[in-house]
Amino acid sequence: MSLLEQYESLGIDREVYEIGAATEEKLAKRFAAIDKTAEICQMKVIAAMQKNRVSAECFETSTGYGYNDMGRDTLEAVYADVFHTESALVRAQITCGTHALSLAMAANLRPGDEILSPVGKPYDTLEQVIGIHPAKGSLAEFGITYRQVELLPDGSFDYPAIREAINERTKLIEIQRSKGYLTRPTFSVDAIGELIAFIKSVKPDVICMVDNCYGEFVEQKEPSDVGADLVVGSLIKNPGGGLAPIGGYIAGKSEYVEQCAYRLTSPGLGREVGASLGVTRSLMQGLFLAPYVVASALKGAIFAANIYESFGFSCVPKADEVRHDIIQAVTLGSPERVIAFCKGIQAGSPVDSYVTPEPWAMPGYHSEVIMAAGTFYQGSSIELSADGPIEPPYAVYFQGGLTWAHAKFGILMSLQKMKDGGYLPPQV
Ligand SMILES: *Cc1c(COP(=O)(O)O)cnc(C)c1O
């Protein structure tokens, strides 16, 4: 069977196939540059594993209290070295990215302290963590206050307003690297470095925490290389490499990471407890694969932007823009198109390809959201997945792809569904 026949047997017609082939050919140079970054990140990971003497014994499991879990401790040392930090906490007991961020803030803040987001509104789920929207157990309930400074209209930092917002109570700065569900730009690591340098010049002892979700291994450097005191993320996104079944990480200065360990388990116990329950091998191997998985996801994002822009849909980042995370936003302009797009991603999945995604009221989000996720792990968004809040401007946020071929197929499937529904304007 030829490749075209293979695609046709999966429901892609010749026209869609050819759009894909032409787009891929055009992108060869950029894809080669992505592979270079992946190679550099791969060496970083291998070096950290060798330095910390990762061995077969590391893959033994622990149960109960989990005292003396060598594999867990080694994994944490590996993470610290990959991120060039003093310490790291990498645990299955950190249930997701929101939990990791919530933990990092709750552990390092005390009543009367203030959080500042100098980059506008944080990720939706953090609004309840912080208490921007009243919620049970929020930081606001503990007398921790919050301020934010909006980005300037061109997406850059409003330095004078940031200087003004920093006060004697400002204890922690929350910088979200990725755009999340917004259409603002994602920040480069260098831009984050400049922002941190400015903040430290105003108040040197403030804790600069970066929400690193979706950013890991996209660039050769991480925010911890440019002054971040804490970097925080989810293992069912980039650094889990698609193999981590659960987990979150917090890497950074020892004093702040230790606070997180005592908050996660208990004062007095800290990082000494927390059984690994057999997941260490997956977390370690996932980290090993992560640079190339991220490369596949990045290729998919760029491929999608190039295709959808050619039909006149506006994309963030734009088709030819440099990438700082794996998310691609495509503004489709109508709920029907968002739904068709997501149905295509679902239909292209290895798992649950026969189910039809529908919009639903997801906990933690404002509006109904439609999610396409035919994933091996529930909600894993390093696997090819798409979500679209059903609200103007009807943008779909798409990310992941454990292999480039699958990312490509999923996107072609989305295009096919748009075409079959009659939602595709003529190519421009
Ligand atoms: C995904 C994400 C989170 C939250 O992570 P969950 O694992 O979904 O809880 C926080 N911030 C950003 C920027 C994210 O992309």
Side-chain angles (χ1 to χ4, degrees):
M1 238 193 216
S2 72
L3 186 58
L4 170 60
E5 287 165 340
Q6 196 78 57
Y7 273 108
E8 281 174 337
S9 76
L10 287 162
I12 301 288
D13 69 23
R14 179 184 282 271
E15 190 194 349
V16 167
Y17 169 84
E18 279 171 359
I19 291 169
T23 305
E24 185 175 359
E25 203 175 299
K26 196 178 84 176
L27 292 172
K29 256 214 173 113
R30 289 188 73 189
F31 283 12
I34 289 170
D35 286 335
K36 242 331 150 222
T37 299
E39 191 176 345
I40 289 168
C41 292
Q42 184 75 79
M43 294 309 123
K44 235 184 343 183
V45 171
I46 292 174
M49 291 187 175
Q50 292 189 350
K51 179 183 162 208
N52 291 287
R53 304 175 67 93
V54 172
S55 65
E57 289 79 68
C58 291
F59 307 139
E60 303 285 320
T61 184
S62 68
T63 58
Y65 293 112
Y67 288 124
N68 304 316
D69 186 322
M70 173 195 168
R72 177 196 68 205
D73 297 349
T74 303
L75 176 69
E76 292 182 331
V78 168
Y79 260 77
D81 281 332
V82 167
F83 286 96
H84 303 129
T85 56
E86 293 171 4
S87 181
L89 192 66
V90 185
R91 301 282 167 128
Q93 285 83 9
I94 301 177
T95 57
C96 61
T98 304
H99 185 192
L101 289 156
S102 172
L103 174 62
M105 289 192 280
N108 285 289
L109 294 164
R110 295 294 178 268
D113 287 344
E114 188 160 276
I115 304 165
L116 171 67
S117 169
V119 298
K121 187 183 103 50
Y123 195 72
D124 266 16
T125 57
L126 292 190
E127 294 189 24
Q128 293 178 58
V129 170
I130 294 169
I132 301 169
H133 286 298
K136 284 203 172 70
S138 72
L139 294 169
E141 284 194 346
F142 291 88
I144 293 159
T145 58
Y146 170 78
R147 260 176 215 244
Q148 81 187 34
V149 172
E150 300 304 327
L151 294 168
L152 293 170
D154 68 354
S156 64
F157 308 124
D158 187 345
Y159 286 116
I162 293 169
R163 183 192 297 280
E164 200 152 306
I166 296 174
N167 60 62
E168 67 291 347
R169 295 201 299 111
T170 310
K171 178 74 186 291
L172 181 143
I173 309 285
E174 132 85 16
I175 302 168
Q176 183 179 312
R177 177 174 176 181
S178 165
K179 67 177 118 22
Y181 278 153
L182 300 169
T183 41
R184 62 132 162 116
T186 288
F187 307 124
S188 68
V189 170
D190 283 336
I192 291 171
E194 278 170 34
L195 177 59
I196 291 173
F198 175 79
I199 287 163
K200 297 269 181 182
S201 78
V202 178
K203 191 168 187 185
D205 60 349
V206 80
I207 304 169
C208 289
M209 179 187 86
V210 174
D211 174 350
N212 209 22
C213 283
Y214 289 130
E216 299 92 348
F217 303 129
V218 172
E219 295 187 48
Q220 295 171 17
K221 285 186 294 189
E222 297 292 337
S224 41
D225 292 315
V226 296
D229 299 304
L230 288 172
V231 288
V232 182
S234 163
L235 301 194
I236 59 167
K237 294 180 180 171
N238 303 17
L243 294 188
I246 189 170
Y249 75 91
I250 299 170
K253 294 230 168 80
S254 292
E255 71 177 296
Y256 306 135
V257 175
E258 286 314 302
Q259 293 282 10
C260 298
Y262 289 118
R263 170 65 51 173
L264 174 65
T265 65
S266 160
L269 301 181
R271 59 165 68 238
E272 301 301 322
V273 295
S276 57
L277 301 172
V279 301
T280 306
R281 186 198 313 269
S282 303
L283 303 197
M284 194 79 85
Q285 194 178 4
L287 178 67
F288 172 72
L289 293 178
Y292 277 89
V293 171
V294 169
S296 296
L298 273 174
K299 289 175 187 174
I302 292 170
F303 181 74
N306 277 270
I307 288 186
Y308 279 96
E309 253 182 29
S310 78
F311 286 96
F313 296 110
S314 97
C315 292
V316 180
K318 291 194 177 69
D320 58 2
E321 224 173 298
V322 186
R323 302 288 154 150
H324 306 295
D325 69 10
I326 62 167
I327 303 184
Q328 182 63 52
V330 184
T331 300
L332 295 170
S334 78
E336 295 76 21
R337 289 197 185 112
V338 169
I339 293 166
F341 184 101
C342 290
K343 285 183 174 169
I345 296 293
Q346 187 77 36
S349 300
V351 180
D352 291 337
S353 60
Y354 54 87
V355 306
T356 305
E358 301 288 348
W360 65 298
M362 237 184 101
Y365 295 84
H366 295 311
S367 53
E368 285 202 320
V369 181
I370 181 167
M371 299 200 134
T375 55
F376 292 95
Y377 289 114
Q378 185 192 83
S380 167
S381 48
I382 186 60
E383 299 186 49
L384 185 64
S385 49
D387 24 58
I390 305 295
E391 63 185 16
Y394 302 104
V396 74
Y397 297 79
F398 140 90
Q399 67 273 313
L402 297 183
T403 69
W404 151 239
H406 176 230
K408 174 181 170 183
F409 173 56
I411 294 150
L412 292 183
M413 209 61 186
S414 75
L415 192 68
Q416 187 73 53
K417 294 280 181 207
M418 298 270 279
K419 185 184 169 201
D420 295 347
Y423 305 132
L424 269 189
Q427 234 175 343
V428 289

